[in-house]
Amino acid sequence: MVPVDYYIILSAILFTIGALGVLIRRNPLIIFMSIELMLNAGNLAFVAFSNMHKSFNGQIFVFFVIAVAAAEVAVGLALIVEIFKTKKNINIDEMNSLKG
Amino acid sequence: MHLSETTSSGFFFLAPWLVFAPLTGLLINVIFSKWFKFSEKMVGTVASLASGAAFVVSVLLAYSVSINHGEMMRWRLAEWIHVGTLNLDWTFRMDSLSTTMMLVVSGVGTLIHIYAIGYMHEDVRFKKEEGRFTRFFIFLNLFIAAMMILVSGDSYMMLFVGWEGVGLCSFLLIGFWYEMDTLARPSWANSNAAKKAFITNRVGDFGFLIAGFLMFWYLGSFQFDAVFEAAPEIAHSQPWVIVAITLFMLVGVAGKSAQIPLYIWLPDAMAGPTPVSALIHAATMVTAGVYLVTRSAEIYTLVPQAQYIVAMVGAGTALFAATIAVGQYDIKKVLAYSTISQLGFMVAAVGMGAYVAGMFHLITHAFFKALLFLSAGSVILGMERGHHHLAHAHAHHDEKPKGKKSKKEDHGHDSHEDEHGEVFDPGDMRNMGGLRKTMPVTFWLYMIGTLALAGIFPFAGFWSKDEILLDASLHFKSVYGQLTLAAFMTAFYMGRQVWMVFFGKPRHDAAAHAQESPKVMTVPLMVLAVLSVVGGALNLPFEGFHNLGHWLGYTLAEVEALPLDLKVAGISTVLALSAIFISWLIYGRNPLKAGQIDPLKKPLGFLFTGMENKWFVDEGYFALIINPFKKLSAFLADVIDWRFWHDFVHDTVILGTYNWLSEVALTQYADQKGIDRFANWLGESTQSISVTMRKVQNGFVRSYALSVMLGVVLILGYLIFK
């Protein structure tokens, strides 16, 4: 059986990749993917700990996270489509009209 | 209300009416006299009946005491003060001593009330203030009530309430004609006399209060019996306490009973109407001090040193005042100094432990001195009437008789000034003379009073004065010497007065036209005259006749009943007769003429000047106390209060500091440079911080995300590495 440490290390690596992706990339689609990556890093950690503790709580949380992520992607993609319609562009650095 | 002692037959339940009866009279006159427009007779009758009711109650109480074989009775009216260990009730005490005082006060008081109806009727008309008639009787009733509290109280504090009450009445009545002097000229002389009496009495009351506080502190009570019970033990362990109590009490006695050095108020008190002089300043109030010492006999007997001082003060006063009386010209002033002198006799007597003799003289003195004062009032009014008659005659007929009294007083016929600005004094004996013929009734009454005061056998004064002299000759030789000399002078000045007033020829037109007083005034005088004649029968120095001694023996321990000593009685009688004879040689054989100086002035020289000017005691007080006091108060007021306190401390220091504080320190420094700066700094820095901080919000989502990341990293780092 694979020790839980490996799962946690993998989860951390995935989360770091996702976070760097959010910070570095300009394409909102890629950013969404990176967010998904971070969420799934969390899911992986949940599942790993759930297995370790012999408890289903973590897995139930994972279901919720997957549901929320699906909803979020649906809303996010819809927003991006709308932004593209008005700006003909989806460069994230140009979406800064809310600054103070 | 209940008897605190065993119940016994008698009229003790009437005790509160001693006070309530005169108070009722007072209230009737206060409340109803205006509404129902009481006539003067009605007002006087109400007041006299109220005082008479107090007399009846006194008689019944004395009777009740006598049927209970002199047993002391208490009647508790109300709770008074109950604080801590202090338990005072409003309790009346009835024993042979207090009922004796009640009888004297209410008896003489009632007679004087009746007399005053006649006297004040004319007095208010001469002074043109008829509205004050009622006020006079209200004060008089108030006085009787206060005096009854004084003599019937069962504790020193209740006695003190009465003591202050009579002092107040004395003040009110001396200043009765407060806006004029004794000659009805506008002046503050009368009110100054009232203030003098009150303030001098305050000095005495201070002594009384100290004595009371010491008593409460060391003996634990104000109640007479409790004090007397506790006193012997303290006298044994801490004798100075009892000495201090008795001597401070003596200060109170000196104030109220006009002894050296506080007697100075009594002569000035003659500014009051004559019935007041008779009632308050001769017969009753001034004897309160004698009563106090007699009441405190059980304390005084414990400390012979204090007794000795009391006796010496009394004897000294008796002699000193008698010498002043010789040199006076005012008929009432002579009697005033005579009163001081006779009070000295009483104080000396009670100081020697001869309480019965002192009380005996108190009673007889109340009779004959009231008689003398009231007769003097009658004389003064007679002179006023004569003066008035003359003025009227001149005003109506416009005749021009010879002498300086022509055409006088066209405007105000009862002003005492004539056209030369010369003042007619109806009380000056140099204006009198020959009144024997114009005022025969008054003359005979005055003669009886004089003989009683001079101590001529068998008048009342002879017996009582002799008892004091006898006691003094047995115990205190020096006191005996002083008192005998004083008795000699008493006879002399009374002889001088009688020759000057009633004999010879009138030295003033007013005296020639003097008129006798009405019955309402002379009848009470006759009663007093009878008492002055037979009063000695109260306590004759023969076996089986020591009635007063026996009676007071119920209350006072150790009453000696002395037999008549022919030697002492003989000496004093011979001295009195010879004094009268000498006065006849000087004043009777060659009557004074108008404007003549006193024939004693030449042979006695500066001695007579001293007597005439009251030995300059008032001036001495002015020089020693009053002027330095005035200077001190002027200094305190002008320099300390005004210049230092007001100008310097208030205006310069406090106001200046305040101004500096508010204008400079607080406004410029604290407010402008402190608070304002801080507030401005706060605002400016907020602004500049926000200018810097707004750059953070750049609208780039990823930079926001970076901050979130960094925040998370920081928090996690903190959680991990803490």
Side-chain angles (χ1 to χ4, degrees):
Chain A
M1 181 134 171
V2 184
V4 78
D5 299 17
Y6 292 13
Y7 290 105
I8 298 305
I9 291 167
L10 178 62
S11 164
I13 290 168
L14 284 175
F15 189 87
T16 311
I17 292 169
L20 285 174
V22 168
L23 291 175
I24 290 167
R25 301 305 294 261
R26 294 183 191 173
N27 191 331
L29 291 175
I30 305 293
I31 287 173
F32 265 114
M33 286 161 65
S34 300
I35 290 171
E36 287 303 312
L37 207 53
M38 284 158 75
L39 287 171
N40 283 318
N43 286 349
L44 181 61
F46 268 123
V47 174
F49 285 120
S50 171
N51 190 38
M52 186 182 99
H53 291 295
K54 304 286 180 245
S55 153
F56 287 105
N57 287 349
Q59 300 190 16
I60 292 166
F61 261 105
V62 168
F63 278 111
F64 277 103
V65 172
I66 290 171
V68 169
E72 176 229 325
V73 168
V75 173
L77 288 178
L79 277 172
I80 289 167
V81 170
E82 283 304 309
I83 289 166
F84 182 77
K85 277 183 181 171
T86 50
K87 293 204 165 187
K88 308 288 178 202
N89 185 353
I90 51 169
N91 186 355
I92 203 146
D93 285 347
E94 285 177 30
M95 285 183 264
N96 60 356
S97 55
L98 273 177
K99 71 175 176 190
Chain B
M1 281 194 227
H2 60 87
L3 274 177
S4 55
E5 302 276 307
T6 50
T7 49
S8 53
S9 58
F11 297 97
F12 295 112
F13 61 91
L14 285 174
W17 287 97
L18 284 173
V19 179
F20 289 156
L23 282 183
T24 311
L26 179 162
L27 287 175
I28 291 175
N29 275 337
V30 167
I31 298 169
F32 298 118
S33 65
K34 278 232 174 89
W35 284 1
F36 297 113
K37 299 212 168 53
F38 278 10
S39 65
E40 288 190 352
K41 276 206 178 103
M42 183 68 184
V43 169
T45 310
V46 167
S48 307
L49 281 178
S51 174
F55 179 64
V56 172
V57 172
S58 308
V59 170
L60 290 174
L61 291 178
Y63 167 75
S64 310
V65 171
S66 78
I67 59 169
N68 283 303
H69 307 290
E71 204 180 320
M72 189 264 289
M73 280 296 153
R74 292 203 187 91
W75 182 268
R76 205 176 73 122
L77 176 64
E79 270 191 9
W80 188 17
I81 303 173
H82 285 257
V83 181
T85 55
L86 174 65
N87 287 310
L88 278 177
D89 283 327
W90 201 263
T91 307
F92 295 94
R93 179 193 182 97
M94 286 147 286
D95 56 19
S96 54
L97 178 60
S98 62
T99 49
T100 307
M101 286 299 289
M102 291 170 201
L103 285 171
V104 172
V105 171
S106 58
V108 176
T110 307
L111 289 173
I112 294 174
H113 270 73
I114 297 168
Y115 170 94
I117 300 174
Y119 184 91
M120 291 312 288
H121 172 79
E122 291 182 61
D123 200 31
V124 293
R125 278 167 182 73
F126 284 130
K127 289 177 175 138
K128 294 188 165 173
E129 268 280 1
E130 291 172 34
R132 279 195 207 170
F133 188 87
T134 313
R135 188 195 296 181
F136 182 82
F137 281 92
I138 289 166
F139 289 165
L140 225 48
N141 269 347
L142 182 63
F143 170 77
I144 297 283
M147 194 69 200
M148 283 303 182
I149 294 173
L150 197 161
V151 297
S152 64
D154 190 37
S155 67
Y156 282 99
M157 275 301 120
M158 194 167 153
L159 192 152
F160 188 69
V161 170
W163 185 273
E164 291 298 297
V166 293
L168 169 70
C169 295
S170 165
F171 167 77
L172 292 172
L173 285 163
I174 294 169
F176 188 72
W177 300 112
Y178 57 87
E179 77 282 47
M180 49 182 85
D181 63 6
T182 43
L183 304 179
R185 293 171 297 188
S187 145
W188 295 116
N190 284 359
S191 57
N192 282 342
K195 282 186 278 182
K196 185 175 180 183
F198 201 75
I199 292 167
T200 314
N201 266 302
R202 294 305 321 158
V203 178
D205 296 343
F206 149 81
F208 191 146
L209 278 177
I210 300 280
F213 297 152
L214 283 173
M215 206 179 276
F216 182 66
W217 194 253
Y218 287 99
L219 307 177
S221 180
F222 289 119
Q223 206 273 328
F224 291 136
D225 291 327
V227 168
F228 300 154
E229 212 170 287
E233 202 182 312
I234 299 288
H236 188 68
S237 58
Q238 290 161 291
W240 67 270
V241 171
I242 306 293
V243 173
I245 289 176
T246 47
L247 289 184
F248 275 117
M249 211 183 270
L250 175 64
V251 176
V253 171
K256 195 59 89 190
S257 287
Q259 299 296 298
I260 289 174
L262 298 178
Y263 70 88
I264 43 155
W265 64 272
L266 188 59
D268 290 44
M270 296 303 122
T274 308
V276 173
S277 309
L279 176 62
I280 302 185
H281 306 122
T284 54
M285 182 191 85
V286 287
T287 60
V290 181
Y291 169 74
L292 177 64
V293 180
T294 311
R295 178 51 88 198
S296 316
E298 297 195 31
I299 312 181
Y300 275 94
T301 356
L302 296 172
V303 276
Q305 318 90 296
Q307 280 190 304
Y308 180 72
I309 294 173
V310 175
M312 288 311 287
V313 166
T317 310
L319 182 57
F320 188 74
T323 60
I324 299 177
V326 172
Q328 295 302 306
Y329 297 111
D330 189 290
I331 186 167
K332 279 173 80 182
K333 282 275 163 70
V334 174
L335 293 177
Y337 281 104
S338 163
T339 303
I340 298 172
S341 167
Q342 298 301 308
L343 287 167
F345 272 82
M346 295 173 215
V347 170
V350 292
M352 292 183 299
Y355 300 108
V356 174
M359 288 301 291
F360 186 26
H361 198 55
L362 188 158
I363 298 167
T364 58
H365 176 259
F367 295 154
F368 59 68
K369 192 49 73 62
L371 171 63
L372 282 171
F373 260 116
L374 297 181
S375 307
S378 172
V379 167
I380 293 170
L381 275 190
M383 293 287 286
E384 287 265 22
R385 288 184 205 111
H387 186 65
H388 185 75
H389 172 82
L390 281 176
H392 238 61
H394 295 318
H396 281 302
H397 306 302
D398 199 30
E399 56 186 14
K400 292 250 180 188
K402 54 238 168 258
K404 59 187 176 177
K405 304 212 71 59
S406 59
K407 212 179 80 182
K408 65 189 286 291
E409 293 156 330
D410 286 335
H411 312 291
H413 57 241
D414 46 358
S415 118
H416 290 113
E417 279 179 58
D418 63 16
E419 58 186 1
H420 304 291
E422 219 167 293
V423 177
F424 168 67
D425 183 353
D428 193 332
M429 298 196 291
R430 286 170 295 192
N431 287 337
M432 299 176 187
L435 288 178
R436 168 176 97 245
K437 293 189 187 103
T438 41
M439 305 183 74
V441 180
T442 306
F443 164 65
W444 284 111
L445 294 168
Y446 209 94
M447 284 306 289
I448 293 171
T450 302
L451 294 175
L453 174 56
I456 305 297
F457 178 85
F459 292 91
F462 169 77
W463 302 106
S464 57
K465 194 181 284 183
D466 227 48
E467 205 169 313
I468 295 175
L469 291 174
L470 177 56
D471 230 293
S473 74
L474 294 177
H475 301 303
F476 290 93
K477 286 289 177 206
S478 61
V479 171
Y480 174 67
Q482 292 177 58
L483 291 185
T484 309
L485 198 52
F488 171 78
M489 293 182 120
T490 306
F492 179 77
Y493 65 68
M494 285 316 289
R496 172 179 179 265
Q497 190 176 40
V498 167
W499 302 126
M500 275 176 91
V501 173
F502 292 102
F503 289 85
K505 288 201 171 61
R507 286 182 290 277
H508 193 286
D509 290 352
H513 292 87
Q515 288 163 15
E516 186 56 82
S517 295
K519 283 247 160 47
V520 68
M521 289 169 68
T522 50
V523 170
L525 290 184
M526 289 168 194
V527 178
L528 283 171
V530 171
L531 289 171
S532 303
V533 176
V534 303
L538 282 175
N539 202 29
L540 294 177
F542 305 112
E543 201 59 50
F545 287 94
H546 293 283
N547 296 321
L548 187 70
H550 182 65
W551 170 245
L552 290 178
Y554 289 135
T555 309
L556 302 166
E558 295 173 44
V559 171
E560 10 173 22
L562 297 171
L564 182 66
D565 186 324
L566 280 176
K567 202 176 79 185
V568 173
I571 290 174
S572 62
T573 308
V574 168
L575 278 177
L577 288 173
S578 57
I580 292 175
F581 180 68
I582 295 170
S583 70
W584 177 76
L585 283 180
I586 300 173
Y587 297 97
R589 198 176 42 170
N590 299 311
L592 222 58
K593 287 169 198 68
Q596 188 192 338
I597 58 158
D598 198 288
L600 265 184
K601 195 164 178 91
K602 228 174 178 181
L604 287 182
F606 71 94
L607 277 178
F608 191 78
T609 314
M611 294 171 178
E612 214 176 356
N613 291 295
K614 311 154 194 173
W615 297 115
F616 300 99
V617 171
D618 278 343
E619 285 79 358
Y621 270 105
F622 263 96
L624 275 178
I625 299 174
I626 298 172
N627 285 340
F629 182 77
K630 274 186 184 165
K631 273 191 195 133
L632 177 69
S633 38
F635 171 76
L636 287 175
D638 194 46
V639 178
I640 301 292
D641 184 58
W642 199 248
R643 277 194 244 160
F644 172 73
W645 190 248
H646 190 270
D647 286 356
F648 178 69
V649 176
H650 273 204
D651 283 2
T652 311
V653 178
I654 297 183
L655 190 61
T657 313
Y658 180 79
N659 281 343
W660 180 82
L661 267 178
S662 56
E663 282 169 15
V664 180
L666 288 174
T667 311
Q668 292 183 10
Y669 288 89
D671 190 47
Q672 292 179 355
K673 293 195 177 160
I675 297 170
D676 280 11
R677 257 192 194 184
F678 174 73
N680 287 342
W681 170 82
L682 210 60
E684 284 162 11
S685 53
T686 311
Q687 221 171 357
S688 65
I689 288 170
S690 52
V691 165
T692 320
M693 293 294 280
R694 65 194 291 183
K695 286 175 187 154
V696 175
Q697 196 187 8
N698 52 10
F700 295 123
V701 174
R702 286 175 306 138
S703 72
Y704 297 167
L706 178 63
S707 0
V708 173
M709 276 298 288
L710 286 175
V712 170
V713 168
L714 276 178
I715 290 169
L716 282 177
Y718 170 75
L719 287 177
I720 290 165
F721 296 109
K722 76 165 177 188

